[in-house]
Amino acid sequence: MAVDASPRPIHSRPPEALPREVDVAVVGSGFGGLAAAVALRRAGRDFVVLERDDDVGGTWRDNSYPGCACDVPSHLYSFSFAPNPDWSRSFSPQPEILDYLRSVARRFGVLPRIRFGAEVLDASWDAASMRWRIETPRGSLTARVLVAGTGPLSEPSVPALPGLASFRGTAFHSAKWRHDHDLAGERVAVIGTGASAIQIVPQIQPEVSHLTVFQRTAPWVMRRRDRDFGTAERWAYRHIPGTQRLARSAIYWGRESWVLGFAKQTWLMGIGERMAHRLLRQQVPDPELRAKLTPRYRLGCKRVLLATDYYPALAQPNVDVVTDRIAEILPHAIATEASDGSRIEHPVDTIVFGTGFHVTDPPIADRVRDGNGRRLSELWSRDGMSALHGLTVAGFPNLFMLVGPNTGLGHSSIVLMIEAQVAHVMDALRQMDARGLTAIEPRPEVQSAYAARMQRELAGTVWNAGGCASWYLDDHGRNTTLWPTFTFAFRRELQRCDLRNYVVHRAVEAAGGHRDPVAAEALGWS
Ligand SMILES: Cc1cc2nc3c(=O)[nH]c(=O)nc-3n(C[C@H](O)[C@H](O)[C@H](O)COP(=O)(O)OP(=O)(O)OC[C@H]3O[C@@H](n4cnc5c(N)ncnc54)[C@H](O)[C@@H]3O)c2cc1C
């Protein structure tokens, strides 16, 4: 099977040692970590980036499956400070996005600050020294500020299916594509029909002998308006001032208008539903298959998928769509059970899990501990994820989580949210310097009011009330992943860090000129 080559690591120099002390430690080097690194470098701050892998890119390094591409147009799904006139098409393929992120790391001079192979295993706040103590396989360090850019979709989730360990074929997750494994002529199962699976299926269908797609819920699929930019258009983006900004603006406002249907007037989604039904009718002539592929909930409740080649692939004679529950994995088959109890065994050589990521239980929360040793995950598993502006958490001073709770988007580019959060962090650091503050953490009551507001605003949206179960919702049924409204509202709200929302700490200099941790003050701000 023809697939893209695995990404090559970006660095070739011998690894540099970790600093023992740094002002700001950024974790991760995807869109989030790189945005933070660029801003910190521009501000002349002392920082290091800790990346567990051996390359930058995050999502776009890890997901190299056939057909992998963004589903927000590239002119918008890129940094505002680093427009790329060379995007080859509307929805760029993964290798181009990875190249882009590598070039940003190089061009903005942050590469020398990144330490690869430096997975953060533990980060605990030391209240006495008012610093984070960070453990990595490459040694430990301390930092005053911890910026976690560890990603909302960076930990693959594989369901605990009975018998999975007994499977004798090859099984892997879409985010860990086995490029060394040839699917040609194999009987392949794709489990899941989310954003990754629908990109994979059309690519592998012509190669495999048989493809079985296991679908729990039919996704809404809409036509993907993708096109090649061509040399003339790329030339214009590079040489005619304002052209690319105009293209980005048009996409931005087009996407923002979707919020009207998603969150304000959900009846508008009916218009999109009619368009999606038309696509299904045009592309799937078999009524039985069409019935299986017809969603029974409001458009938008789960992520809307854009694909013009997915339905035609499913309609091919070597493809089966199975909607019965998976009962068990056998050494050479997947057994399903229908609602009447009947059981079928589907023989397979390879299983591809397109089953998503740990979104509402991010692993970094297991590794971050407050001054009393309490893990953020303990707090969140009890109360659900919450953070002021999806960024800061009471009890965890100087922790800034990029793309934290309620910052995800159902309609537009997450890079917009990342840039707004990074601007907020930079403003917070500036104000802390100006006022001689060592640490800040949100007031608990402000954080809870913010979390309650998120739930209130999300209540009537299609994401919450659209009649589906999705990865946007946590175990308590709360939507702790999505931002409820327009992205410009988020940007406006985060423009300035209002220290009245924070408990602020100041380390007081002792008589001898040393910082006396015992004398650290916690100042109320009003
Ligand atoms: C296939 C796919 C397609 C997508 N398409 C879109 C799209 O079109 N539009 C959109 O808006 N979003 C899309 N997303 C969401 C995507 O995850 C975000 O857009 C964006 O890439 C997130 O960037 P990030 O830096 O926050 O996280 P990531 O890109 O996930 O980067 C996190 C980084 O942190 C590192 N890391 C994690 N834990 C640790 C640790 N403990 N120690 C050290 N390093 C650590 C990881 O190795 C990784 O490099 C897509 C996601 C997937 C999976």
Side-chain angles (χ1 to χ4, degrees):
M1 187 182 49
V3 289
D4 304 313
S6 307
R8 296 265 67 83
I10 192 171
H11 60 98
S12 51
R13 295 168 304 127
E16 274 187 60
L18 288 189
R20 293 196 47 199
E21 283 190 359
V22 73
D23 194 42
V24 185
V26 176
V27 193
S29 60
F31 266 108
L34 289 178
V38 169
L40 289 162
R41 181 161 188 276
R42 280 177 161 172
R45 288 189 175 269
D46 170 36
F47 73 97
V48 69
V49 179
L50 306 170
E51 169 55 58
R52 66 181 172 192
D53 218 294
D54 62 359
D55 200 349
V56 301
T59 291
W60 301 100
R61 175 201 62 222
D62 294 344
N63 291 267
S64 59
Y65 59 76
C68 182
C70 53
D71 60 7
V72 170
S74 293
H75 284 309
L76 189 60
Y77 189 57
S78 42
F79 292 121
S80 63
F81 59 81
N84 174 19
D86 296 325
W87 292 122
S88 66
R89 52 192 314 109
S90 328
F91 298 96
S92 298
Q94 169 265 338
E96 262 186 60
I97 306 173
L98 178 60
D99 269 359
Y100 168 78
L101 289 170
R102 286 171 171 169
S103 79
V104 167
R106 278 200 200 92
R107 209 172 112 207
F108 291 85
V110 297
L111 209 47
R113 308 289 187 100
I114 306 177
R115 299 294 174 273
F116 294 103
E119 175 168 9
V120 171
L121 303 171
D122 186 77
S124 57
W125 176 251
D126 177 15
S129 63
M130 291 213 224
R131 293 182 73 81
W132 286 96
R133 297 187 174 282
I134 303 167
E135 302 296 333
T136 83
R138 292 186 53 185
S140 22
L141 70 156
T142 72
R144 186 172 63 103
V145 175
L146 185 65
V147 178
T150 48
L153 308 179
S154 60
E155 282 310 316
S157 164
V158 173
L161 295 169
L164 183 54
S166 71
F167 185 61
R168 293 279 171 72
T170 307
F172 53 89
H173 189 277
S174 56
K176 294 184 184 291
W177 194 265
R178 285 275 306 271
H179 292 279
D180 60 341
H181 182 77
D182 192 357
L183 296 179
E186 285 205 331
R187 294 164 304 178
V188 177
V190 171
I191 299 183
T193 52
S196 297
I198 65 129
Q199 293 183 336
I200 293 168
V201 164
Q203 298 293 315
I204 65 172
Q205 174 273 322
E207 310 266 343
V208 304
S209 70
H210 192 82
L211 180 61
T212 314
V213 177
F214 291 86
Q215 172 190 281
R216 198 164 54 177
T217 319
W220 281 103
V221 180
M222 300 198 69
R223 195 177 287 283
R224 180 186 172 93
R225 304 200 179 273
D226 194 13
R227 64 184 179 83
D228 204 318
F229 286 148
T231 27
E233 190 168 345
R234 289 209 294 272
W235 184 91
Y237 290 139
R238 181 172 287 282
H239 297 290
I240 305 178
T243 325
Q244 197 174 7
R245 236 191 0 259
L246 202 67
R248 182 177 163 103
S249 253
I251 300 164
Y252 175 78
W253 288 108
R255 288 286 178 137
E256 285 303 280
S257 72
W258 292 16
V259 173
L260 295 173
F262 279 120
K264 311 287 176 197
Q265 301 290 330
T266 54
W267 59 268
L268 284 171
M269 299 314 272
I271 302 169
E273 286 175 8
R274 280 196 290 282
M275 290 159 68
H277 281 309
R278 196 177 319 131
L279 182 69
L280 182 60
R281 271 197 312 276
Q282 284 167 354
Q283 296 193 325
V284 180
D286 172 14
E288 199 183 319
L289 178 59
R290 215 162 50 220
K292 282 186 187 173
L293 298 175
T294 303
R296 315 269 170 214
Y297 54 88
R298 193 101 257 208
L299 172 73
C301 183
K302 287 161 101 68
R303 194 173 178 87
V304 179
L305 307 182
L306 304 179
T308 312
D309 51 1
Y310 178 61
Y311 287 149
L314 295 184
Q316 296 306 307
N318 68 335
V319 181
D320 278 328
V321 176
V322 174
T323 53
D324 291 338
R325 185 182 71 85
I326 294 177
E328 191 184 359
I329 308 287
L330 303 167
H332 298 286
I334 296 180
T336 53
E337 195 177 86
S339 45
D340 63 4
S342 59
R343 192 178 148 105
I344 299 178
E345 289 181 12
H346 309 266
V348 291
D349 303 308
T350 293
I351 302 176
V352 176
F353 286 98
T355 41
F357 298 86
H358 287 274
V359 181
T360 52
D361 54 345
I364 190 66
D366 245 352
R367 301 180 177 194
V368 174
R369 292 185 290 141
D370 69 9
N372 299 316
R374 198 169 47 148
R375 292 177 198 282
L376 181 55
S377 56
E378 286 171 41
L379 201 73
W380 280 359
S381 60
R382 200 190 58 209
D383 304 333
M385 291 200 298
S386 128
L388 179 60
H389 303 132
L391 199 56
T392 52
V393 184
F396 293 79
N398 287 0
L399 168 67
F400 296 94
M401 309 197 71
L402 302 177
V403 203
N406 292 110
T407 55
L409 297 176
H411 71 286
S412 191
S413 165
I414 199 70
V415 182
L416 300 164
M417 306 299 272
I418 287 173
E419 288 192 23
Q421 287 192 314
V422 168
H424 193 79
V425 174
M426 297 310 293
D427 187 53
L429 295 182
R430 257 190 313 272
Q431 291 197 55
M432 286 164 74
D433 286 354
R435 294 169 194 263
L437 305 175
T438 313
I440 61 170
E441 56 180 301
R443 293 172 179 281
E445 69 279 11
V446 174
Q447 187 187 325
S448 346
Y450 182 85
R453 187 188 116 205
M454 292 297 105
Q455 295 313 309
R456 232 179 11 255
E457 291 191 18
L458 281 160
T461 66
V462 281
W463 304 303
N464 280 39
C468 74
S470 76
W471 56 261
Y472 298 146
L473 309 178
D474 67 12
D475 291 344
H476 311 280
R478 268 178 305 208
N479 187 335
T480 52
T481 56
L482 290 187
W483 170 247
T485 182
F486 301 104
T487 61
F488 56 79
F490 189 73
R491 192 174 56 228
R492 202 165 47 212
E493 197 166 327
L494 268 73
Q495 223 155 33
R496 222 179 124 64
C497 175
D498 185 348
L499 285 180
R500 284 173 305 186
N501 292 332
Y502 286 84
V503 176
V504 302
H505 303 270
R506 177 180 288 154
V508 177
E509 299 293 317
H514 302 295
R515 202 168 63 187
D516 177 2
V518 185
E521 296 176 74
L523 308 171
W525 213 270
S526 56

